[in-house]
Amino acid sequence: MQQGPPPDHWPVGRMLSAAARRIERAWDAHLASWDLNHASLPVLVHITVAPMSQRELADSCGVTEQTMSRVVARLVRTGYVTRRPHAEDRRRHVVAITPAGSAALAACADPGPAQQAVLGHLPPERRALLDELMREVVAPWGVTPGPPVDAVDGPPATRA
């Protein structure tokens, strides 16, 4: 039973929050095939460029060091990353991607299935408008989400 006003009377923030939870669940369902989730995937993306400390990863992902420690521990258990003491500072740990992590990242990186599950009911022009608007919403925070992604076909580089 729904409580409060119907969704057509929700403030924008509540709608964005509800949509984010739904998209997160769809994305997690997609990533589960590789024993990943929405929190672990960005770690793999960041360390494909170069190994990073857990503190750097936490800052890059916008989470606490404690949260990052749990995410990295899970990735270590799956064999997707290694965590080793820093060469010059033994108090720090450096996280690096493994070949298995690179393979998992390459296999699961297409957001198309998760986006289709959530946005498939929208015509392509409405999905494109939503993408444009969301990029405007996140722009003030300095978020760089990368090139536009087609909600059905994935990134331009993966299209046939």
Side-chain angles (χ1 to χ4, degrees):
M1 180 175 198
Q2 182 179 338
Q3 296 181 2
D8 61 342
H9 289 86
W10 286 359
V12 171
R14 184 171 180 198
M15 288 187 289
L16 285 171
S17 180
R21 284 190 308 275
R22 184 170 177 214
I23 291 167
E24 184 178 296
R25 285 191 298 269
W27 190 234
D28 281 345
H30 168 70
L31 296 173
S33 298
W34 296 274
D35 202 17
L36 292 167
N37 61 31
H38 70 279
S40 56
L41 185 66
V43 173
L44 296 180
V45 170
H46 284 297
I47 62 176
T48 56
V49 176
M52 297 174 77
S53 73
Q54 285 184 196
R55 176 175 291 143
E56 291 168 328
L57 281 168
D59 289 344
S60 296
C61 293
V63 299
T64 66
E65 288 182 53
Q66 183 179 20
T67 296
M68 185 52 63
S69 179
R70 288 191 302 268
V71 171
V72 169
R74 181 175 182 206
L75 288 168
V76 168
R77 283 193 305 273
T78 60
Y80 292 158
V81 305
T82 59
R83 177 175 45 193
R84 300 206 185 335
H86 190 276
E88 289 106 33
D89 184 352
R90 294 287 183 183
R91 295 170 295 174
R92 293 176 56 198
H93 286 93
V94 176
V95 180
I97 196 164
T98 64
S102 293
L105 179 60
C108 75
D110 179 10
Q115 289 180 336
Q116 179 62 26
V118 176
L119 304 174
H121 65 286
L122 296 175
E125 65 275 4
R126 301 296 286 172
R127 282 183 260 164
L129 176 60
L130 178 61
D131 184 79
E132 180 182 335
L133 291 170
M134 291 308 301
R135 288 175 190 283
E136 288 180 32
V137 167
V138 301
W141 298 311
V143 175
T144 53
V149 173
D150 184 298
V152 176
D153 297 325
T158 65
R159 292 187 202 138

